[in-house]
Amino acid sequence: MLSASKLKKYCTKKGLTQEQLGQLLGVTTQAVSKWERGGTPDAELLPDISQALGVSIDALFGREEQRLTASLARQICQMKNEDAYRYAFSICWAIEIGFMQDISALDDFLNKFIEHSAITTDKTDYFAKMMQDGGVATAMVIIKN
């Protein structure tokens, strides 16, 4: 069931009134009000609601935090070692950027990472380059059986 409190939270965070959200979705203000009191929108509106609010459908149902860790683990388990390493590396940097609370660093990181990844496949080399260029240190330990 759609979480009414999550819907209100994401609307507030996005700065949208019930009327504005309704206009974006092509529904009445009363419909949005009903959802915020615990009513359920038509299933076909869920992708539009999540897009308008900038969150996943799982987040609207209050399940995003529960599923993120398991989803990441599943994805990494299905990858080749090199791909898994790069993916985990990018997640670590995303976490680091989040702690810095500087979203502008994200674009800078991605541009450097992609540019350098195209040049070399040596893990140590691009890791060292990112640490030198970005000025932020993150340690990652990989244990192999």
Side-chain angles (χ1 to χ4, degrees), residues 56 58-59 62-76 87 91 94-95:
S56 68
D58 278 344
R63 288 185 259 176
E64 187 169 71
E65 294 97 22
Q66 299 169 7
R67 299 189 64 192
L68 179 61
T69 306
S71 174
L72 290 173
R74 278 189 203 95
Q75 287 176 314
I76 290 171
Y87 185 63
I91 292 168
I95 292 168

Side-chain angles (χ1 to χ4, degrees), residues 2 37 39 42 69-70 80 123 129 137:
L2 180 72
R37 291 190 318 266
D42 291 335
T69 306
K80 295 178 186 174
K123 291 180 216 167
K129 180 173 180 11

Side-chain angles (χ1 to χ4, degrees), residues 22-144:
Q23 288 173 347
L24 287 171
L25 300 172
V27 299
T28 65
T29 303
Q30 292 79 12
V32 176
S33 175
K34 180 181 173 184
W35 303 338
E36 287 187 354
R37 291 190 318 266
T40 306
D42 291 335
E44 69 254 8
L45 285 175
L46 292 175
D48 295 333
I49 294 170
S50 72
Q51 184 176 4
L53 298 177
V55 298
S56 68
I57 293 174
D58 278 344
L60 292 173
F61 285 82
R63 288 185 259 176
E64 187 169 71
E65 294 97 22
Q66 299 169 7
R67 299 189 64 192
L68 179 61
T69 306
S71 174
L72 290 173
R74 278 189 203 95
Q75 287 176 314
I76 290 171
C77 286
Q78 294 173 0
M79 295 177 178
K80 295 178 186 174
N81 283 344
E82 180 69 18
D83 294 336
Y85 177 84
R86 287 178 187 220
Y87 185 63
F89 178 76
S90 66
I91 292 168
C92 289
W93 274 101
I95 292 168
E96 186 72 32
I97 289 166
F99 281 125
M100 290 180 350
Q101 297 185 341
D102 180 9
I103 195 69
S104 66
L106 182 61
D107 290 332
D108 186 48
F109 161 71
L110 288 175
N111 290 335
K112 288 178 184 177
F113 183 72
I114 292 167
E115 173 188 315
H116 191 67
S117 292
I119 297 168
T120 182
T121 59
D122 179 28
K123 291 180 216 167
T124 306
D125 186 43
Y126 71 72
F127 184 73
K129 180 173 180 11
M130 292 307 299
M131 286 181 57
Q132 180 182 5
D133 290 351
V136 177
T138 299
M140 181 188 236
V141 177
I142 298 178
I143 300 171
K144 294 185 178 185

